[in-house]
Amino acid sequence: MTSHPSPAATPSGAAAPRGAAPVPSRRLLLVHAHPDDESINNGVTMARYAAEGALVTLVTCTRGEEGEVIPPELAHLAPDRDDTLGPYRVGELADAMAALGVADHRFLGGPGRYRDSGMMGAPQNDRPGCFWQAPVDEAAAHLVAVIREVRPQVLVTYDPNGGYGHPDHIQAHRVAMRAAELAAEAVFRPDLGGAYAIEKIYWNCTPRSEVEAGLAAVRAAGHGFAGVAAVDDVPGVVPDDAVTASLAGEGAGAYADAKAAAMRAHVTQIAVDGAFFALSNALGQPLFGTEHYRLVHGASGAADGEREDDLFAGIGESTDLVGMEESARIEEAAE
Ligand SMILES: [Zn+2]
């Protein structure tokens, strides 16, 4: 789904009168920098909530035009040749979303509105129109429109360093956090919909012990990669006790399989080999079947000292209804 929401859109995004379409009671919004980040970081989480009937909305900030292309036969897509990687990756993302069962995926401001800024320090960082050059509040306004339309209780994005310091990841963090703030302010752009406050915000992370064990497993196994990644190559590594929520992909739901399928759909960016994968640096990494989060806004639904196993834990339907009524009232007052 790439259409830009109209101010009068219902929470379902359909152009139907309010209340005409059933709106899932649980709604999750994820904000990512490039196509492929969502599957690597949150594939299990997205597959699980989509399967459970929640509304899962992905907003991707760029088309990833500056990515390196792995398959030699697709090398012509690269920015220094045909420069058609962006549109190609739109197709890869659509295939990945089909694998995860996610129907609502959009690009911030529409596809191609913001271009990939390249790795930190690259000359592309300074190119007009790249995401890194976008004023945060201007970019956040596009996301405010989505937040006020979808009304997610839960937002997932990166930590302030974007997990590993890529300019687009850092900017995605800034834009997501700023949009959450602005969406809740009734005086900000009432033309973008009624004020709405997101209840819980999480940052992606990976516990250090799991990264170390996972990389040891790659080294121990026979694999076809050029080498094995180091801990520092894995984004969002944190001390184990910083993790507040863990969602397992194995078991009855087998969401880890959907995640692996989604990662394989990003053909130009990811080489999947069984339980491992590599990016364009060809360094093997574990394909994590369990995904981890840090709650940075809102109350944990788990007992003291325990991790949540559900990002919606502690969120009540009644609270949501109050929020919806309040937003509708503000929306009416603004008309
Ligand atoms: Zn990325």
Side-chain angles (χ1 to χ4, degrees):
M1 195 167 171
T2 53
S3 66
H4 199 67
S6 74
T10 65
S12 70
R18 184 176 294 280
V23 180
S25 61
R26 298 189 301 166
R27 299 177 299 277
L28 170 66
L29 172 65
L30 304 102
V31 178
H32 277 291
H34 313 109
D36 81 354
D37 293 316
E38 77 298 322
S39 299
I40 297 169
N41 285 279
N42 310 110
V44 160
T45 305
M46 294 172 77
R48 168 179 159 181
Y49 287 116
E52 289 180 2
L55 177 62
V56 177
T57 300
L58 169 68
V59 174
T60 308
C61 297
T62 78
R63 297 184 298 179
E65 293 90 341
E66 298 295 324
E68 288 181 51
V69 178
I70 295 176
E73 66 275 19
L74 294 174
H76 63 92
L77 300 170
D80 56 352
R81 292 181 59 185
D82 298 350
D83 195 16
T84 48
L85 185 55
Y88 196 87
R89 292 183 72 177
V90 172
E92 292 181 340
L93 182 62
D95 291 346
M97 292 305 95
L100 297 179
V102 170
D104 187 9
H105 52 96
R106 322 162 183 218
F107 284 89
L108 187 69
R113 173 68 181 79
Y114 297 108
R115 187 175 167 112
D116 188 330
S117 313
M119 298 299 269
M120 187 62 89
Q124 290 91 329
N125 296 176
D126 302 321
R127 176 155 44 195
C130 81
F131 191 43
W132 187 236
Q133 292 294 328
V136 169
D137 279 18
E138 178 209 287
H142 296 297
L143 192 56
V144 167
V146 177
I147 291 170
R148 289 178 176 175
E149 175 201 342
V150 171
R151 297 169 193 263
Q153 295 100 334
V154 178
L155 167 68
V156 168
T157 190
Y158 311 112
D159 64 31
N161 189 40
Y164 72 108
H166 190 295
D168 291 329
H169 286 239
I170 294 171
Q171 185 79 323
H173 161 86
R174 291 176 180 166
V175 166
M177 298 304 286
R178 182 65 175 145
E181 196 174 79
L182 292 173
E185 292 178 8
V187 293
F188 178 77
R189 297 283 307 267
D191 59 307
L192 298 179
Y196 180 79
I198 296 171
E199 268 183 74
K200 296 172 88 177
I201 301 177
Y202 292 91
W203 294 343
N204 291 304
C205 66
T206 319
R208 177 169 288 271
S209 69
E210 224 164 279
V211 175
E212 287 170 351
L215 293 173
V218 183
R219 282 191 293 269
H223 60 79
F225 303 116
V228 178
V231 171
D232 288 346
D233 296 322
V234 178
V237 177
V238 296
D240 289 22
D241 60 8
V243 175
T244 69
S246 298
L247 276 65
E250 284 85 9
Y255 302 121
D257 292 346
K259 173 177 182 164
M263 286 174 62
R264 279 195 296 270
H266 291 288
V267 173
T268 61
Q269 304 299 307
I270 307 175
V272 177
D273 179 3
F276 311 125
F277 76 97
L279 303 173
S280 61
N281 60 14
L283 299 177
Q285 309 186 32
L287 198 167
F288 291 115
T290 298
E291 293 170 348
H292 305 277
Y293 299 91
R294 267 195 291 174
L295 180 68
V296 295
H297 169 81
S300 170
D304 263 2
E306 286 182 22
R307 288 183 190 172
E308 297 176 297
D309 59 6
D310 175 6
L311 302 185
F312 292 91
I315 290 176
E317 302 264 323
S318 56
T319 314
D320 178 42
L321 287 172
V322 170
M324 299 283 274
E325 281 167 12
E326 173 70 4
S327 301
R329 192 185 60 72
I330 294 166
E331 210 168 327
E332 275 160 27
E335 274 165 12

